[in-house]
């Protein structure tokens, strides 16, 4: 498997347009679309590079996809690239959200609008699940190994979805455990 993606954006404009495209495709949650756009469609990253950058994204404050855009923009074009990627990600969607806010205020009581919003939520959840399944193959190269990764993921799912623990408590409980498992595996 190739460790480095062959492509890169040719200009800040191309970077802006790519992030604008993924922002408009994945309205409300672009992580699933980001993987398709950056890895599969444009070939700017390998799956392993995408997972690596995505795993570093929560370290920075803010949404993961914004941090991903900033890191990639900076990688290719410095701070100007970071701004181009960020602008591509938020400028047009912000204008759309403002327009939709005005429209929603007027049409909020229409049952079809409420049903459409519930349907969009289900589609977004499905896209996240499909992306997770696509990225499972990267676990083969993970030092933790697929079985320990699956164990941590199952414990996280159980704590949040089944036991209804707050996210902060799950991170506080399972985060140090996952880090300790990674240190243990790295020392072996």
């Amino acid at each position: 498997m190739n460790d480095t993606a062959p492509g890169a954006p040719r200009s800040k404009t191309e970077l802006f347009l790519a992030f604008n495209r993924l922002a408009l495709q994945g309205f409300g949650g672009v992580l699933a679309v980001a993987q398709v756009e950056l890895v599969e469609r444009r070939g700017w990253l390998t799956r392993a590079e995408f997972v690596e950058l995505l795993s570093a994204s929560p370290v920075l404050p803010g949404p993961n996809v914004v941090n991903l855009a900033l890191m990639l923009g900076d990688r290719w074009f410095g701070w100007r690239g970071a701004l181009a990627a960020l602008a591509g990600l938020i400028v047009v969607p912000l204008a759309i959200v403002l327009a939709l806010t005005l429209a929603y205020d007027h049409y909020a009581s229409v049952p079809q609008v409420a049903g459409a919003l519930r349907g969009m939520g289900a589609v977004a959840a499905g896209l996240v699940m499909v992306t997770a399944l696509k990225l499972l193959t990267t676990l083969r190269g993970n030092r933790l190994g697929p079985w320990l990764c699956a164990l941590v993921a199952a414990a996280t799912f159980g704590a949040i979805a089944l036991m209804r623990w707050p996210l902060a408590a799950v991170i506080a409980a399972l985060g140090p455990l996952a880090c300790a498992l990674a240190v243990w595996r790295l020392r072996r």
Side-chain angles (χ1 to χ4, degrees), residues 7-32:
R10 293 181 297 271
S11 67
K12 292 180 285 293
T13 301
E14 184 180 11
L15 186 64
F16 172 89
L17 292 173
F19 276 95
N20 186 259
R21 175 184 166 92
L22 71 91
L24 292 174
Q25 287 181 65
F27 200 75
V30 299
L31 220 41

mmCIF file of all heavy atoms in Angstrom, residues 7-32:
data_model
loop_
_atom_site.group_PDB
_atom_site.id
_atom_site.type_symbol
_atom_site.label_atom_id
_atom_site.label_comp_id
_atom_site.label_asym_id
_atom_site.label_seq_id
_atom_site.Cartn_x
_atom_site.Cartn_y
_atom_site.Cartn_z
ATOM 1 N N GLY A 7 -1.444 13.123 -4.967
ATOM 2 C CA GLY A 7 -1.924 14.438 -5.368
ATOM 3 C C GLY A 7 -1.807 15.492 -4.292
ATOM 4 O O GLY A 7 -1.547 15.211 -3.135
ATOM 5 N N ALA A 8 -1.988 16.716 -4.706
ATOM 6 C CA ALA A 8 -2.050 17.870 -3.816
ATOM 7 C C ALA A 8 -2.764 18.972 -4.591
ATOM 8 O O ALA A 8 -2.718 18.991 -5.817
ATOM 9 C CB ALA A 8 -0.655 18.321 -3.408
ATOM 10 N N PRO A 9 -3.420 19.886 -3.904
ATOM 11 C CA PRO A 9 -4.077 20.983 -4.626
ATOM 12 C C PRO A 9 -3.039 21.854 -5.334
ATOM 13 O O PRO A 9 -1.941 22.069 -4.832
ATOM 14 C CB PRO A 9 -4.798 21.754 -3.520
ATOM 15 C CG PRO A 9 -4.151 21.353 -2.252
ATOM 16 C CD PRO A 9 -3.595 19.988 -2.467
ATOM 17 N N ARG A 10 -3.395 22.339 -6.509
ATOM 18 C CA ARG A 10 -2.477 23.159 -7.299
ATOM 19 C C ARG A 10 -2.494 24.626 -6.878
ATOM 20 O O ARG A 10 -1.560 25.362 -7.167
ATOM 21 C CB ARG A 10 -2.827 23.030 -8.783
ATOM 22 C CG ARG A 10 -2.565 21.636 -9.343
ATOM 23 C CD ARG A 10 -2.900 21.533 -10.823
ATOM 24 N NE ARG A 10 -4.306 21.760 -11.112
ATOM 25 C CZ ARG A 10 -5.241 20.798 -11.126
ATOM 26 N NH1 ARG A 10 -4.903 19.548 -10.876
ATOM 27 N NH2 ARG A 10 -6.492 21.085 -11.392
ATOM 28 N N SER A 11 -3.562 25.045 -6.211
ATOM 29 C CA SER A 11 -3.655 26.456 -5.812
ATOM 30 C C SER A 11 -4.548 26.585 -4.578
ATOM 31 O O SER A 11 -5.276 25.655 -4.219
ATOM 32 C CB SER A 11 -4.257 27.281 -6.948
ATOM 33 O OG SER A 11 -5.611 26.908 -7.161
ATOM 34 N N LYS A 12 -4.486 27.764 -3.975
ATOM 35 C CA LYS A 12 -5.360 28.038 -2.835
ATOM 36 C C LYS A 12 -6.815 28.086 -3.283
ATOM 37 O O LYS A 12 -7.706 27.701 -2.540
ATOM 38 C CB LYS A 12 -4.943 29.340 -2.155
ATOM 39 C CG LYS A 12 -3.586 29.255 -1.463
ATOM 40 C CD LYS A 12 -3.191 30.540 -0.788
ATOM 41 C CE LYS A 12 -2.742 31.607 -1.718
ATOM 42 N NZ LYS A 12 -1.508 31.379 -2.434
ATOM 43 N N THR A 13 -7.050 28.510 -4.509
ATOM 44 C CA THR A 13 -8.413 28.531 -5.040
ATOM 45 C C THR A 13 -8.966 27.115 -5.145
ATOM 46 O O THR A 13 -10.117 26.868 -4.773
ATOM 47 C CB THR A 13 -8.442 29.222 -6.422
ATOM 48 O OG1 THR A 13 -7.942 30.547 -6.273
ATOM 49 C CG2 THR A 13 -9.841 29.252 -6.998
ATOM 50 N N GLU A 14 -8.156 26.183 -5.645
ATOM 51 C CA GLU A 14 -8.597 24.794 -5.729
ATOM 52 C C GLU A 14 -8.877 24.232 -4.341
ATOM 53 O O GLU A 14 -9.852 23.506 -4.134
ATOM 54 C CB GLU A 14 -7.539 23.941 -6.446
ATOM 55 C CG GLU A 14 -7.981 22.508 -6.652
ATOM 56 C CD GLU A 14 -6.951 21.652 -7.367
ATOM 57 O OE1 GLU A 14 -5.796 22.075 -7.536
ATOM 58 O OE2 GLU A 14 -7.328 20.519 -7.740
ATOM 59 N N LEU A 15 -8.051 24.596 -3.376
ATOM 60 C CA LEU A 15 -8.256 24.168 -1.988
ATOM 61 C C LEU A 15 -9.567 24.735 -1.448
ATOM 62 O O LEU A 15 -10.370 24.018 -0.846
ATOM 63 C CB LEU A 15 -7.068 24.627 -1.145
ATOM 64 C CG LEU A 15 -7.012 24.174 0.297
ATOM 65 C CD1 LEU A 15 -6.870 22.666 0.393
ATOM 66 C CD2 LEU A 15 -5.850 24.855 1.012
ATOM 67 N N PHE A 16 -9.798 26.030 -1.685
ATOM 68 C CA PHE A 16 -11.048 26.679 -1.264
ATOM 69 C C PHE A 16 -12.252 25.958 -1.869
ATOM 70 O O PHE A 16 -13.211 25.636 -1.173
ATOM 71 C CB PHE A 16 -11.047 28.153 -1.689
ATOM 72 C CG PHE A 16 -12.371 28.839 -1.470
ATOM 73 C CD1 PHE A 16 -12.652 29.447 -0.264
ATOM 74 C CD2 PHE A 16 -13.336 28.868 -2.473
ATOM 75 C CE1 PHE A 16 -13.879 30.074 -0.055
ATOM 76 C CE2 PHE A 16 -14.555 29.488 -2.269
ATOM 77 C CZ PHE A 16 -14.830 30.100 -1.056
ATOM 78 N N LEU A 17 -12.197 25.715 -3.179
ATOM 79 C CA LEU A 17 -13.326 25.084 -3.859
ATOM 80 C C LEU A 17 -13.562 23.656 -3.379
ATOM 81 O O LEU A 17 -14.709 23.212 -3.263
ATOM 82 C CB LEU A 17 -13.112 25.115 -5.375
ATOM 83 C CG LEU A 17 -13.169 26.513 -6.004
ATOM 84 C CD1 LEU A 17 -12.765 26.457 -7.467
ATOM 85 C CD2 LEU A 17 -14.537 27.142 -5.815
ATOM 86 N N ALA A 18 -12.494 22.923 -3.076
ATOM 87 C CA ALA A 18 -12.645 21.547 -2.581
ATOM 88 C C ALA A 18 -13.335 21.546 -1.224
ATOM 89 O O ALA A 18 -14.265 20.758 -0.991
ATOM 90 C CB ALA A 18 -11.282 20.867 -2.485
ATOM 91 N N PHE A 19 -12.908 22.425 -0.325
ATOM 92 C CA PHE A 19 -13.543 22.462 0.994
ATOM 93 C C PHE A 19 -14.951 23.050 0.918
ATOM 94 O O PHE A 19 -15.830 22.655 1.685
ATOM 95 C CB PHE A 19 -12.661 23.184 2.008
ATOM 96 C CG PHE A 19 -11.639 22.273 2.611
ATOM 97 C CD1 PHE A 19 -10.361 22.201 2.096
ATOM 98 C CD2 PHE A 19 -11.963 21.437 3.666
ATOM 99 C CE1 PHE A 19 -9.425 21.337 2.614
ATOM 100 C CE2 PHE A 19 -11.047 20.562 4.201
ATOM 101 C CZ PHE A 19 -9.765 20.512 3.678
ATOM 102 N N ASN A 20 -15.167 23.950 -0.022
ATOM 103 C CA ASN A 20 -16.513 24.455 -0.220
ATOM 104 C C ASN A 20 -17.433 23.341 -0.719
ATOM 105 O O ASN A 20 -18.564 23.198 -0.253
ATOM 106 C CB ASN A 20 -16.497 25.631 -1.202
ATOM 107 C CG ASN A 20 -17.841 26.271 -1.322
ATOM 108 O OD1 ASN A 20 -18.566 26.019 -2.272
ATOM 109 N ND2 ASN A 20 -18.194 27.087 -0.346
ATOM 110 N N ARG A 21 -16.929 22.542 -1.652
ATOM 111 C CA ARG A 21 -17.705 21.418 -2.194
ATOM 112 C C ARG A 21 -18.074 20.426 -1.090
ATOM 113 O O ARG A 21 -19.220 20.005 -0.979
ATOM 114 C CB ARG A 21 -16.911 20.729 -3.293
ATOM 115 C CG ARG A 21 -17.560 19.484 -3.845
ATOM 116 C CD ARG A 21 -16.639 18.803 -4.872
ATOM 117 N NE ARG A 21 -17.058 17.467 -5.178
ATOM 118 C CZ ARG A 21 -17.863 17.157 -6.180
ATOM 119 N NH1 ARG A 21 -18.331 18.084 -6.960
ATOM 120 N NH2 ARG A 21 -18.195 15.901 -6.385
ATOM 121 N N LEU A 22 -17.103 20.066 -0.257
ATOM 122 C CA LEU A 22 -17.428 19.080 0.779
ATOM 123 C C LEU A 22 -18.341 19.683 1.834
ATOM 124 O O LEU A 22 -19.211 19.000 2.372
ATOM 125 C CB LEU A 22 -16.174 18.444 1.363
ATOM 126 C CG LEU A 22 -15.230 19.211 2.259
ATOM 127 C CD1 LEU A 22 -15.620 19.051 3.710
ATOM 128 C CD2 LEU A 22 -13.838 18.639 2.076
ATOM 129 N N ALA A 23 -18.196 20.977 2.113
ATOM 130 C CA ALA A 23 -19.091 21.612 3.083
ATOM 131 C C ALA A 23 -20.523 21.625 2.580
ATOM 132 O O ALA A 23 -21.461 21.388 3.340
ATOM 133 C CB ALA A 23 -18.616 23.042 3.368
ATOM 134 N N LEU A 24 -20.702 21.873 1.281
ATOM 135 C CA LEU A 24 -22.054 21.936 0.727
ATOM 136 C C LEU A 24 -22.666 20.549 0.545
ATOM 137 O O LEU A 24 -23.881 20.404 0.573
ATOM 138 C CB LEU A 24 -22.043 22.705 -0.598
ATOM 139 C CG LEU A 24 -21.732 24.193 -0.453
ATOM 140 C CD1 LEU A 24 -21.605 24.844 -1.819
ATOM 141 C CD2 LEU A 24 -22.784 24.890 0.392
ATOM 142 N N GLN A 25 -21.838 19.533 0.377
ATOM 143 C CA GLN A 25 -22.357 18.165 0.247
ATOM 144 C C GLN A 25 -22.750 17.576 1.594
ATOM 145 O O GLN A 25 -23.686 16.797 1.690
ATOM 146 C CB GLN A 25 -21.299 17.246 -0.367
ATOM 147 C CG GLN A 25 -21.056 17.471 -1.829
ATOM 148 C CD GLN A 25 -20.025 16.496 -2.319
ATOM 149 O OE1 GLN A 25 -20.266 15.295 -2.316
ATOM 150 N NE2 GLN A 25 -18.886 17.004 -2.727
ATOM 151 N N GLY A 26 -22.010 17.903 2.618
ATOM 152 C CA GLY A 26 -22.231 17.290 3.922
ATOM 153 C C GLY A 26 -22.813 18.256 4.908
ATOM 154 O O GLY A 26 -22.366 18.345 6.040
ATOM 155 N N PHE A 27 -23.789 19.010 4.474
ATOM 156 C CA PHE A 27 -24.392 20.039 5.300
ATOM 157 C C PHE A 27 -24.807 19.459 6.654
ATOM 158 O O PHE A 27 -25.590 18.521 6.716
ATOM 159 C CB PHE A 27 -25.611 20.614 4.568
ATOM 160 C CG PHE A 27 -26.020 21.952 5.065
ATOM 161 C CD1 PHE A 27 -25.277 23.061 4.734
ATOM 162 C CD2 PHE A 27 -27.133 22.094 5.864
ATOM 163 C CE1 PHE A 27 -25.652 24.306 5.188
ATOM 164 C CE2 PHE A 27 -27.511 23.325 6.314
ATOM 165 C CZ PHE A 27 -26.768 24.453 5.985
ATOM 166 N N GLY A 28 -24.260 20.007 7.743
ATOM 167 C CA GLY A 28 -24.589 19.541 9.083
ATOM 168 C C GLY A 28 -23.603 18.522 9.617
ATOM 169 O O GLY A 28 -23.613 18.191 10.790
ATOM 170 N N GLY A 29 -22.722 18.030 8.815
ATOM 171 C CA GLY A 29 -21.717 17.063 9.243
ATOM 172 C C GLY A 29 -20.904 16.619 8.046
ATOM 173 O O GLY A 29 -21.351 15.785 7.271
ATOM 174 N N VAL A 30 -19.737 17.200 7.872
ATOM 175 C CA VAL A 30 -18.987 16.977 6.644
ATOM 176 C C VAL A 30 -17.899 15.916 6.761
ATOM 177 O O VAL A 30 -17.201 15.654 5.795
ATOM 178 C CB VAL A 30 -18.363 18.288 6.117
ATOM 179 C CG1 VAL A 30 -19.424 19.299 5.795
ATOM 180 C CG2 VAL A 30 -17.369 18.854 7.103
ATOM 181 N N LEU A 31 -17.752 15.307 7.915
ATOM 182 C CA LEU A 31 -16.662 14.350 8.088
ATOM 183 C C LEU A 31 -16.772 13.178 7.125
ATOM 184 O O LEU A 31 -15.774 12.745 6.545
ATOM 185 C CB LEU A 31 -16.643 13.854 9.527
ATOM 186 C CG LEU A 31 -15.284 13.678 10.154
ATOM 187 C CD1 LEU A 31 -14.324 14.781 9.801
ATOM 188 C CD2 LEU A 31 -15.411 13.544 11.638
ATOM 189 N N ALA A 32 -17.971 12.683 6.946
ATOM 190 C CA ALA A 32 -18.163 11.557 6.017
ATOM 191 C C ALA A 32 -17.815 11.963 4.594
ATOM 192 O O ALA A 32 -17.176 11.212 3.848
ATOM 193 C CB ALA A 32 -19.609 11.072 6.084
#
